[in-house]
Amino acid sequence: PRRMLAVCNNLGLLPEKFFPQKAGKDYALSPYLDMLKDHRDNFTVFSGVWHPDVDGGHPADNCFLTAAPHPGSGSFRNTISLDQYAAQYIGHLTRFPSLTLGVNVSSGQRSLSWTASGVLIPCEEKASEVFKRLFLRGTPEEVRAQMRRLEHGQSIMDAVAGQARSLQRDVGARDRQRLDQYFTGVRDLEVRLGKAREWEDKPKPQVKVAPPQDPATPREYMEKARVMYDMARLAFETDSTRLVTLMLDSVNSPAIEIEGAEITDGYHSLSHHGKSVAKLKQLESIDREHMKLLNTLFSELKASGEGGQSLLDQTMVLYGSNLGNANTHVTTNLPVLLAGGGFRHGQHLGFDRERNYPLPNLFVSMLQRLGLEADKFATSTGTMRGLEMA
């Protein structure tokens, strides 16, 4: 089975430290990518890519996997995210159609996962709760109680939907559109409830690891990210899900803890460095810690075998940001890399950094690698040029 982990750090990375100077196979690793040198042949780095018409600075993080235009406008309505689009086709194959994870997320305001009706799916921020859902089974009575809750939840959906339909005869066109959005959400939830009930009688997988300890404060941002990477890997190893998203909400993070570095200001404040040498030094320490975590994740996925291949061979890891430069809030020239997943890597695909290439083309390639017959996603114009399947 093919899998996908999509990660967005919504304050990005220092561009001059991330992007290579030369495109192609024989490019020289940038300072940040040099920290991933052991996996050079396992990832592709992109420059000159963006989501067409996704502007607005910070609000664009909610569109990292949807590419819905103009997120800062008053009439904005999000669209389905890449993971949820895929979940419609392959989500039924696993206990959990998808996992939506987060670190220091502004609850109810930010997420990478959005339903077909443009509704935010809240992030799970406690690794201990994710572990419990994935691997711990309750007593027989607790299982029966959960079954009753699932059945009760579906009956509520039926009742409320029936009441809402009676309103359609008496409302205007705009309200009918909102009701249609609501009905779509109800149908989505009913499908999820039905699938959850089917899995409730099946035993959960066993893993030989201790449940994680949740970091105590938002300052432990990197430890939170590390344990979430662990949860994603364990979920893939046990085939509990094949689709995971992780929102790293750096905007909502304080002065975070970095071993060997003194971070004196909040992450967001540091991102507006104004070329301050002191702030840039602290930001680089943070960015390098991100690269260390990615390097460990790639190593652990590569060390985990599956059907004669490594788990990294079977798992697409998308890492990037909605901001090309957090200091100026630009949403062009996004820092993006894709590792694993059965593509021919070891290259820098450099596109025009003034007239950017659509990043949704990469999403089409990823959907096809998951086995979906997709030729369009959001504002795509085709598949990602230069990226070939292995």
Side-chain angles (χ1 to χ4, degrees):
R2 299 284 176 185
R3 303 179 174 90
M4 179 190 78
L5 167 62
V7 185
C8 175
N9 171 7
N10 62 6
L11 285 181
L13 300 158
L14 292 173
E16 64 274 15
K17 301 287 185 179
F18 176 79
F19 291 115
Q21 295 298 311
K22 182 181 178 181
K25 289 272 189 182
D26 59 344
Y27 73 97
L29 292 168
S30 65
Y32 287 172
L33 296 181
D34 188 61
M35 300 182 70
L36 306 175
K37 61 185 177 184
D38 291 343
H39 309 291
R40 179 188 177 112
D41 292 336
N42 302 113
F43 69 83
T44 294
V45 60
F46 305 90
S47 61
V49 296
W50 76 316
H51 286 320
D53 297 321
V54 175
D55 46 26
H58 291 305
D61 54 9
N62 284 325
C63 301
F64 184 66
L65 293 183
T66 70
H70 308 304
S73 68
S75 59
F76 173 71
R77 176 180 169 185
N78 216 340
T79 53
I80 192 167
S81 55
L82 179 67
D83 60 310
Q84 296 306 301
Y85 183 92
Q88 293 179 139
Y89 298 91
I90 66 173
H92 66 283
L93 299 174
T94 53
R95 181 181 294 271
F96 300 99
S98 63
L99 289 180
T100 301
L101 310 179
V103 169
N104 291 356
V105 174
S106 298
S107 181
Q109 298 180 40
R110 287 190 165 96
S111 178
L112 292 186
S113 300
W114 295 75
T115 70
S117 50
V119 176
L120 175 150
I121 298 176
C123 297
E124 176 56 71
E125 285 203 79
K126 290 188 175 182
S128 62
E129 290 298 320
V130 177
F131 187 91
K132 181 179 178 181
R133 287 177 59 202
L134 288 172
F135 307 120
L136 301 185
R137 184 172 174 84
T139 65
E141 178 52 39
E142 288 172 334
V143 172
R144 287 192 291 271
Q146 174 67 2
M147 294 287 284
R148 289 194 295 270
R149 284 193 292 270
L150 290 169
E151 291 166 359
H152 186 54
Q154 190 153 11
S155 69
I156 291 174
M157 290 297 99
D158 293 339
V160 177
Q163 293 173 2
R165 287 191 184 93
S166 67
L167 295 174
Q168 283 187 304
R169 297 186 299 271
D170 305 317
V171 298
R174 184 177 179 85
D175 286 331
R176 277 198 298 273
Q177 183 180 5
R178 294 299 296 273
L179 282 172
D180 287 342
Q181 178 182 350
Y182 168 75
F183 291 143
T184 302
V186 169
R187 286 191 292 271
D188 287 346
L189 186 52
E190 286 178 341
V191 170
R192 289 172 184 265
L193 288 169
K195 290 176 179 176
R197 189 168 54 212
E198 293 173 9
W199 282 98
E200 207 50 47
D201 285 327
K202 299 178 181 179
K204 292 183 178 181
Q206 301 292 313
V207 290
K208 295 179 180 179
V209 296
Q213 298 293 318
D214 294 318
T217 72
R219 287 177 54 82
E220 297 179 76
Y221 171 105
M222 291 299 175
E223 178 62 13
K224 287 187 172 188
R226 185 191 68 78
V227 293
M228 285 304 187
Y229 282 151
D230 284 347
M231 291 303 100
R233 176 178 53 79
L234 288 171
F236 291 152
E237 285 179 346
T238 55
D239 204 29
S240 296
T241 189
R242 297 175 187 173
L243 303 164
V244 180
T245 64
L246 174 58
M247 168 70 88
L248 302 175
D249 193 354
S250 307
V251 175
N252 198 41
S253 297
I256 65 178
E257 296 176 356
I258 301 291
E259 186 177 354
E262 184 180 1
I263 308 301
T264 60
D265 209 344
Y267 203 153
H268 187 198
S269 177
L270 289 175
S271 74
H272 293 289
H273 51 76
K275 298 186 178 179
S276 160
V277 173
K279 287 190 173 184
L280 285 168
K281 182 179 178 182
Q282 293 181 56
L283 269 178
E284 183 172 350
S285 295
I286 293 173
D287 288 352
R288 286 183 172 277
E289 200 67 21
H290 279 296
M291 294 297 103
K292 287 180 185 177
L293 291 178
L294 267 186
N295 185 66
T296 299
L297 175 66
F298 294 165
S299 295
E300 291 180 344
L301 289 173
K302 193 182 288 186
S304 182
E306 180 183 57
Q309 291 187 305
S310 75
L311 192 55
L312 183 58
D313 291 329
Q314 299 297 106
T315 303
M316 293 176 284
V317 181
L318 173 71
Y319 185 93
S321 179
N322 52 288
L323 293 179
N325 189 332
N327 185 48
T328 54
H329 284 184
V330 296
T331 54
T332 55
N333 194 29
L334 304 179
V336 175
L337 65 80
L338 178 73
F343 290 98
R344 293 179 180 174
H345 290 302
Q347 60 180 335
H348 168 210
L349 290 180
F351 298 96
D352 192 325
R353 298 193 186 187
E354 298 299 324
R355 302 179 64 183
N356 287 181
Y357 184 79
L359 182 58
N361 285 15
L362 175 60
F363 294 175
V364 175
S365 294
M366 293 171 69
L367 290 171
Q368 291 183 0
R369 203 67 185 108
L370 287 170
L372 278 61
E373 295 182 1
D375 56 10
K376 178 76 175 174
F377 184 86
T379 50
S380 67
T381 59
T383 54
M384 173 59 73
R385 188 167 74 238
L387 184 66
E388 299 178 358
M389 295 184 187

